[in-house]
Amino acid sequence: MPQQLEYDEQGSTFYYFLISFYGLFLLPATYFLWPSRKKAAGETGLVCQCDPCRHKRVRLEEEQPRETLWIITRVAVIAVLWLLLAFMLYKVLTAEVSYEEYDPFSILELNSDATMGEIRKQYRRLSKVYHPDKQGGDQDMFMKIAKAYEALTDEVSRENWIKYGNPDGPQAATFGIALPSWVVEKQNSIWVLGLYMLVFIIILPIAVGTWWYRSIKYTTANLLIQTSQVFFHYLSKPRQLTIKRLLMVMAAAFEFNPQYSKLLPPRPSDDEELTELIHSRDLPHLTVKVKEPVLREPWAVKTSILIHAHLGKVGLPPATLRPDQKTVLKVCPRLINEMINILNQVWIYARYRPSPQVSTPPSQDVYESVMRMSQMVVQQTWDRESVVLQLPHIQTDMLRHFRTRRRNITTVEEFVAMKNADRRSLVRAISDEDYLDVMAVCSSFPHVTISTETQVMDDDDRHKVTAGSMVTVTVTLERVGLLEKYKVDQESLLGSGTVSLEEEDDPVINHNNTVVENVGAGEKGKSQRPSWEKNKKEETEHEEPEEPMEEKSGSVSEEEGGERESEGEVEGGGKGEDEEEEEWQSLQETMKIQQQKKKELGVNKESHPVHAPFFPEVKQEGWWLYIADKRRKEIVVLPQRVQGLKSELTQDLQFQAPEKPCVLRYTVILTSDSYLNLQFSTELKIDVSQRVEVKGRSQWAELEQEEEEEEAFEETESEGDFSDLSDSDS
């Protein structure tokens, strides 16, 4: 049967084709381009009104019109795209139907049950009306009427109509193409070919090549590959990495190299202004004379000066160096995260693929120095300064009241834990409005409680850790504000009277982040030990009776590895089917909850805004979670980035237990990336027992030996058959 192609003359089919692919592009584009409404996380009833905070809010509001214009532009583009889709839908709905089923009754304007006499009568009437020789006649309509009459009166034509749908019999197979006919017309062939070459031979390769060329220059953290290489080169060297050294390495990022990036362009006034800063005494920690490659480059030295000027609170020219400093500070958090990732790579190489270049894994001190560097950049302070200076209106000359013979307030939490009257009297040099600003910032300071659960996922007894097993530590983080933790009423901050500090004792914060009241005045003459030593001794006394005597006698010192004798064979008697089913259901529910929390964590990265008036952007709280051996200053589980901690969050940390039985004493540490020297930790004690040999191991070995012997026998037989065949052929 012959075949022929039919092109879309009216264009309706082409619009169906176009709408299908256009919708695949428009729906995801609308989802990603539609501006989302940002919600301020962690808002409290108090808002800091200090001058730096107000200036930062004004500056961000001044930059808001640019964002508003960008949002309006995106909404307008999306609206135009949807209007184009509506136009195409309108064209489809109003287009003429190009195919209709052949119906001779409808052509003759008759019902399907008309008699032969009615058919002849209607044919004669319509023939007179549409005959081409008459005035107003229509030749095409006359031919249709004649063909319809023949289909109803002639037996052969009627049979063809009923069987094939056409009185002329079977027709050629037609295939519709969703393209208008003008695409294949000869006079338009040059234009169509030119458009094809422009799109598929010029535009598409250029777009793909440009995307590929740009993508291979950057890492997954959207940083230049050269930056990661520089970080790896200097962070993998087995030398002491102080904070000054780490600042120099961070300043050598290629994001600030004018040949690779336009973030920090060179200015004509750089030589004069930077030289003045170098020779001034405002930057005592700055080191300029460096002979190492990259670190000695002019752009790296300029970046280092800008960072030191920020940490030293040195004013810069507002038209030149100040905008450059803001640009550098905005990139610093990503660079510090990349430095942590590079340290993780060095740790992995040193542990599993040691080489002369990478032989020693980074210590805990190096990791914490990099983390502390992030805190310094956000809070515009050096690490050795008092953390109380993060609070507004607190000056250096006021610190002498925080550390006296009767009290030692060194952290913000200790300051909040004081009684309201004592706290107000301690900062009596500031006004009531300034004191409210101080408490507003204290309300945003976090306190995180860490709880852990140790388990082995693949074992029957998940809570028993054996030698060589993969240990999963499920860490639950619960965050509250300091005012909420110590139940400080915001409305009564200024309501109570002032109490003399000499009449009442201040609370002391022990190492477990709990408040312990000092002893009364009548007990001052007695010899007192520090409260944290008391708590430690009490905990030891409570824990010792709970340990079985066999474990004590069979254990050795922790320094010698903490090896213990094997516990013997497993006791007989398995669990019932109901208990196993309950454990299985509990395991499935736990895994679902963990997966859901991880999914929510990946989507939402907003937590609580940080009080950082000198940081150019709005900073959200971020954390690093890891496990360390404090005694050896070693990292056990590499730091993981934690974001989205609003109230509660769960994270899994995994590591392999030692191959020998021992008692592990590690520390789970949560370090802030925004607040100076803010770190929470909890002790992790894991009793690693002897690996139990499964009964029937010898039987399995015998079965394996028998299978190997059978395979060897079959191979010898097959070789003998082949030798017989070769002899017969010869």
Side-chain angles (χ1 to χ4, degrees), residues 102 147 150-151 156-157 160-161 164-171:
Y102 184 79
K147 187 176 181 180
E150 183 180 2
V156 178
S157 299
N160 289 335
W161 170 59
Y164 301 107
N166 194 300
D168 296 333
Q171 302 294 310

Side-chain angles (χ1 to χ4, degrees), residues 119-133:
I119 293 173
R120 292 191 183 96
K121 182 179 179 182
Q122 182 69 5
Y123 170 68
R124 288 193 296 268
R125 188 183 70 82
L126 294 177
S127 299
K128 294 178 181 179
V129 175
Y130 294 102
H131 197 281
D133 295 340

Side-chain angles (χ1 to χ4, degrees), residues 482-493:
L482 290 183
L483 298 189
E484 180 181 357
K485 172 180 171 54
Y486 293 100
K487 299 180 180 179
V488 178
D489 188 7
Q490 300 180 6
E491 297 180 356
S492 60
L493 289 176

Side-chain angles (χ1 to χ4, degrees), residues 142-274:
F142 181 77
M143 296 297 294
K144 289 182 180 181
I145 293 171
K147 187 176 181 180
Y149 177 73
E150 183 180 2
L152 296 177
T153 55
D154 185 69
E155 295 181 1
V156 178
S157 299
R158 188 179 183 90
E159 183 179 356
N160 289 335
W161 170 59
I162 295 174
K163 188 175 182 180
Y164 301 107
N166 194 300
D168 296 333
Q171 302 294 310
T174 59
F175 296 91
I177 299 179
L179 293 175
S181 59
W182 60 265
V183 174
V184 295
E185 291 179 356
K186 186 176 181 180
Q187 61 270 22
N188 298 327
S189 59
I190 297 179
W191 298 103
V192 174
L193 182 61
L195 180 63
Y196 177 86
M197 295 181 62
L198 178 65
V199 174
F200 292 98
I201 300 180
I202 299 178
I203 297 179
L204 185 60
I206 290 177
V208 174
T210 304
W211 169 80
W212 175 253
Y213 177 73
R214 290 182 179 178
S215 62
I216 61 176
K217 294 168 53 179
Y218 294 91
T219 64
T220 55
N222 198 23
L223 295 173
L224 290 169
I225 296 291
Q226 291 81 357
T227 298
S228 299
Q229 294 174 349
V230 170
F231 286 173
F232 189 88
H233 174 74
Y234 286 106
L235 296 179
S236 60
K237 290 185 176 181
R239 58 173 295 176
Q240 186 179 5
L241 292 172
T242 62
I243 289 184
K244 296 179 183 179
R245 174 77 175 177
L246 292 172
L247 288 174
M248 294 173 60
V249 173
M250 183 176 66
F254 270 64
E255 271 67 23
F256 310 125
N257 189 341
Q259 297 180 357
Y260 291 83
S261 175
K262 298 180 180 179
L263 289 177
L264 200 65
R267 300 179 184 273
S269 59
D270 284 348
D271 292 340
E272 180 181 355
E273 294 174 347
L274 295 177

Side-chain angles (χ1 to χ4, degrees), residues 497-708:
T498 302
V499 180
S500 175
L501 292 175
E502 282 73 14
E503 296 178 2
E504 296 187 5
D505 296 315
D506 298 334
V508 177
I509 308 297
N510 65 5
H511 286 190
N512 296 325
N513 295 325
T514 56
V515 182
V516 181
E517 297 291 341
N518 288 345
V519 295
E523 299 178 359
K524 292 180 182 179
K526 297 182 180 180
S527 173
Q528 300 292 338
R529 294 193 310 272
S531 59
W532 64 272
E533 292 186 1
K534 292 182 181 180
N535 295 338
K536 185 175 181 181
K537 183 176 180 181
E538 291 175 1
E539 291 175 2
T540 307
E541 293 174 355
H542 286 295
E543 288 180 359
E544 286 179 354
E546 297 178 0
E547 298 181 359
M549 297 300 295
E550 291 79 9
E551 292 186 1
K552 291 183 179 180
S553 60
S555 61
V556 296
S557 63
E558 182 183 354
E559 289 75 6
E560 298 176 356
E563 298 184 3
R564 299 179 354 176
E565 297 179 357
S566 60
E567 297 180 358
E569 299 181 353
V570 181
E571 298 181 359
K575 297 180 181 180
E577 294 182 358
D578 295 339
E579 295 180 358
E580 292 181 355
E581 183 66 23
E582 290 179 359
E583 289 186 359
W584 173 254
Q585 296 293 337
S586 176
L587 177 61
Q588 294 295 322
E589 293 177 358
T590 303
M591 293 178 64
K592 288 181 180 179
I593 294 173
Q594 292 176 356
Q595 292 176 358
Q596 182 66 23
K597 290 184 177 180
K598 287 183 179 180
K599 187 176 180 181
E600 294 176 355
L601 177 62
V603 174
N604 184 16
K605 294 184 179 181
E606 290 188 357
S607 54
H608 295 266
V610 176
H611 178 260
F614 302 103
F615 191 73
E617 294 182 324
V618 177
K619 182 71 174 65
Q620 297 287 328
E621 286 182 6
W623 308 85
W624 284 288
L625 180 65
Y626 55 100
I627 299 178
D629 187 347
K630 281 191 171 182
R631 183 174 60 87
R632 298 180 179 179
K633 295 294 183 180
E634 294 179 354
I635 295 293
V636 178
V637 178
L638 297 178
Q640 296 185 10
R641 186 71 173 159
V642 176
Q643 292 177 305
L645 178 56
K646 290 187 175 181
S647 57
E648 184 177 350
L649 188 142
T650 302
Q651 190 86 357
D652 288 340
L653 303 178
Q654 291 184 335
F655 65 94
Q656 188 174 8
E659 295 296 334
K660 296 181 180 180
C662 60
V663 177
L664 301 177
R665 298 182 184 275
Y666 293 152
T667 306
V668 180
I669 303 174
L670 182 71
T671 303
S672 173
D673 70 342
S674 304
Y675 294 108
L676 188 64
N677 295 333
L678 183 60
Q679 187 180 86
F680 302 94
S681 62
T682 183
E683 299 299 324
L684 180 65
K685 180 182 178 182
I686 301 177
D687 188 3
V688 182
S689 58
Q690 179 68 37
R691 183 185 303 167
V692 179
E693 297 292 340
V694 181
K695 294 181 179 181
R697 188 81 177 180
S698 59
Q699 298 178 1
W700 293 351
E702 293 176 359
L703 290 175
E704 292 177 356
Q705 185 177 1
E706 291 178 359
E707 291 178 356
E708 292 177 356

